[in-house]
Amino acid sequence: MADRNMDTKASAKEKLILLMPVLSGIMWGSGGIFVRSFDALGMDNFTMLFSRIIVSVAILGLLLFVYDRRLLRIRPADLWIFLGGGILGMFGINLTYNEAIKHGTLALASVLLSMSPVFVVSLSALLFHEKMTMQKTLCMAAALFGCVLVSEVLESGAAPSVSPLAVLCGIGSAFFYALYSIFSKAAAGKGYHALTITFYCLVSSLLLLIPGTDPGCIGRILREGGIGMPFFMLLHSLVTSALPYIFYTTSISRIDAGIASILAASEPAAAMLFGFLFFHETPSVLSVAGLFLTTGAIIALSRSQAGEQASS
């Protein structure tokens, strides 16, 4: 009986670990709800990001301090990695992704962001001379075609509604995400924990946001938003930044990173669902097909990359 209880507990723990990256993807996919809500209240992009990231920095900093203070230590010689990951990575991702959400559908913004492995593969081939296989090329082509379907430009009468700025910003978010992945990989190669990398990249991006932040706007929205506004701001930070990073980082410490990234591919589907529920963004058959095509192609591309790294 004791053995059976132990097996049940172990099974429940394994399921929870597998659920974490799925929850991370869903939480990241909900970002559009908060972005559009704050945008409607007159909050600019810099202020919006600052109000979110400062809470994440506080939560992650406290977590690292309590969990293991050694994880807060970084070598001065490696500071450039965290500055690069924060400024060229996180700052760029958040800024362009928020703009993509403002000017396009949540599904399109999320699908374009999920294209980051395409840029990782391309940059790796260009900078590090990694082999470009036929499988990678086909996956990249399929992912690109899926994005075209999600944008609905091939559907009759849909083209005028597609904002070039939304597409450009969505592609930009994928590019910056690829840069963040490269800097993160460099930091991990030097022995830094994933939470340490996330924390200091967030700090770097926060420092860049300070000059463009409007504290008066935050105060005005807190005053005019009623008793629930502080909770909504806290929820914004927890749901779209702190919790998904913690869940995802915890999962990759227990399961293969490739499996975690595949499970986190729930983000585009979640974004499409949230767009439908909150903003009446009704997806067409072609856009749904494009979402699955792009997600499947990115998963295959990520697995190919992981397989090569494991064999090398």
Side-chain angles (χ1 to χ4, degrees):
M1 180 65 71
D3 290 341
R4 182 179 297 178
N5 289 336
M6 290 178 64
D7 290 340
T8 302
K9 290 180 180 179
S11 177
K13 189 174 182 180
E14 289 174 3
K15 290 178 181 178
L16 180 61
I17 293 298
L18 291 173
L19 182 62
M20 282 184 173
V22 178
L23 289 174
S24 295
I26 293 172
M27 288 180 178
W28 280 320
S30 71
I33 300 171
F34 299 95
V35 171
R36 289 190 178 171
S37 297
F38 287 123
D39 183 54
L41 293 171
M43 184 178 284
D44 64 89
N45 218 343
F46 271 64
T47 305
M48 195 185 305
L49 292 174
F50 177 85
S51 67
R52 186 186 86 181
I53 293 177
I54 192 171
V55 178
S56 299
V57 166
I59 292 172
L60 284 175
L62 180 61
L63 176 66
L64 290 173
F65 184 81
V66 173
Y67 174 67
D68 189 347
R69 297 179 191 179
R70 292 173 298 178
L71 295 179
L72 289 169
R73 300 173 187 168
I74 60 172
R75 295 177 289 275
D78 298 330
L79 187 61
W80 67 273
I81 300 176
F82 299 103
L83 289 174
I87 296 171
L88 297 178
M90 281 191 175
F91 176 78
I93 295 165
N94 287 302
L95 203 65
T96 51
Y97 185 61
N98 281 11
E99 288 298 324
I101 288 172
K102 291 179 186 179
H103 298 283
T105 64
L106 303 192
L108 178 60
S110 185
V111 166
L112 289 172
L113 174 62
S114 72
M115 291 285 289
S116 60
V118 172
F119 285 103
V120 172
V121 169
S122 301
L123 290 173
S124 297
L126 182 65
L127 301 176
F128 309 117
H129 307 291
E130 292 187 4
K131 187 178 180 181
M132 181 66 73
T133 64
M134 180 60 71
Q135 181 183 0
K136 289 181 182 179
T137 303
L138 290 175
C139 287
M140 290 166 66
L144 288 169
F145 183 63
C147 287
V148 172
L149 293 178
V150 173
S151 71
E152 301 183 351
V153 296
L154 298 182
E155 300 185 39
S156 176
S161 65
V162 179
S163 168
L165 182 59
V167 174
L168 183 63
C169 288
I171 293 173
S173 68
F175 175 73
F176 287 121
Y177 197 102
L179 291 180
Y180 173 71
S181 299
I182 291 172
F183 280 109
S184 296
K185 185 177 179 180
K190 291 181 175 288
Y192 290 105
H193 191 277
L195 281 178
T196 303
I197 299 169
T198 300
F199 175 72
Y200 282 107
C201 285
L202 281 170
V203 170
S204 299
S205 61
L206 182 66
L207 293 175
L208 195 63
L209 287 166
I210 290 174
T213 297
D214 181 4
C217 178
I218 297 176
R220 176 183 60 80
I221 290 175
L222 284 172
R223 289 193 304 271
E224 298 176 359
I227 193 171
M229 184 53 66
F231 174 74
F232 188 71
M233 281 190 173
L234 177 62
L235 196 65
H236 177 213
S237 185
L238 287 175
V239 171
T240 65
S241 187
L243 287 179
Y245 279 126
I246 292 170
F247 286 164
Y248 190 77
T249 303
T250 302
S251 69
I252 62 176
S253 68
R254 305 292 181 87
I255 60 176
D256 182 74
I259 295 175
S261 65
I262 290 170
L263 293 172
S266 56
E267 180 181 351
M272 181 174 282
L273 178 61
F274 287 130
F276 172 72
L277 292 176
F278 288 89
F279 305 106
H280 309 291
E281 295 176 356
T282 305
S284 65
V285 174
L286 284 182
S287 63
V288 173
L291 181 144
F292 282 107
L293 177 61
T294 298
T295 303
I298 294 301
I299 288 174
L301 184 60
S302 299
R303 293 185 67 176
S304 174
Q305 282 286 91
E308 288 184 7
Q309 292 172 3
S311 61
S312 62

